[in-house]
Amino acid sequence: MSNTNPLYLHETGLKTLLSNLTKLQVLHLDSVDISRNGSQWGNAVLQVGPTFQELSMSDCGLSGNLPDDIFHLTDLTELDLSLNFKLSGQLSEFPKQSLLQSLNLAYTNLTGPIPDSIGNLQYLSEFDLFDCNFY
């Protein structure tokens, strides 16, 4: 986590910020420290529902497991969770109807196999898994 950006959200900040934004389509919180939200960030993001098109939370201090349902956000075209060194877990199955074009999970602690369903990502043009623990 870089210390050059003093922006942060307190314990309930992310959940409160997103709680009434049910039609939010684009969220860029790159370098905003939400580490105090612990592993609850996933629940806060998923509560918005399937409207996300772009979700970028690079270098936010995310921890805990990558939520399985994050790849089931049907309108999602861009997902960037890179530079979150304490983000762990495995990739879940990718749905057939995915619109995902860009996936950046570089510099995370994700592990395990890359699912065969990666072939379902027919629109994927950017894919970065640098310095992860996939096999």
Side-chain angles (χ1 to χ4, degrees), residues 18 23-30 45 48-58 70 73-81 99-103:
L18 299 177
K23 298 194 185 303
L24 188 65
Q25 294 179 343
V26 176
L27 179 64
H28 289 253
L29 290 176
D30 299 335
V45 166
V48 173
T51 61
F52 273 123
Q53 293 176 359
E54 295 179 20
L55 178 59
S56 187
M57 298 175 73
S58 177
I70 202 155
L73 298 172
T74 55
D75 293 337
L76 193 64
T77 60
E78 177 185 321
L79 179 62
D80 185 350
L81 300 176
L99 300 175
L100 202 58
Q101 298 172 14
S102 176
L103 177 59

Side-chain angles (χ1 to χ4, degrees), residues 1-9 14 27-37 41 55-63 79-87 104-109:
M1 176 78 90
S2 70
N3 293 324
T4 58
N5 195 335
L7 295 174
Y8 62 91
L9 290 173
L14 185 62
L27 179 64
H28 289 253
L29 290 176
D30 299 335
S31 299
V32 175
D33 182 359
I34 63 168
S35 61
R36 293 182 183 154
N37 289 271
W41 68 272
L55 178 59
S56 187
M57 298 175 73
S58 177
D59 193 20
C60 288
L62 302 180
S63 63
L79 179 62
D80 185 350
L81 300 176
S82 63
L83 296 168
N84 287 292
F85 305 102
K86 294 180 182 179
L87 181 60
N104 189 347
L105 300 172
Y107 299 102
T108 61
N109 197 29

Side-chain angles (χ1 to χ4, degrees), residues 113-127:
I114 296 175
D116 290 338
S117 61
I118 191 109
N120 292 341
L121 303 179
Q122 60 184 341
Y123 301 106
L124 192 65
S125 60
E126 295 180 38
F127 186 48

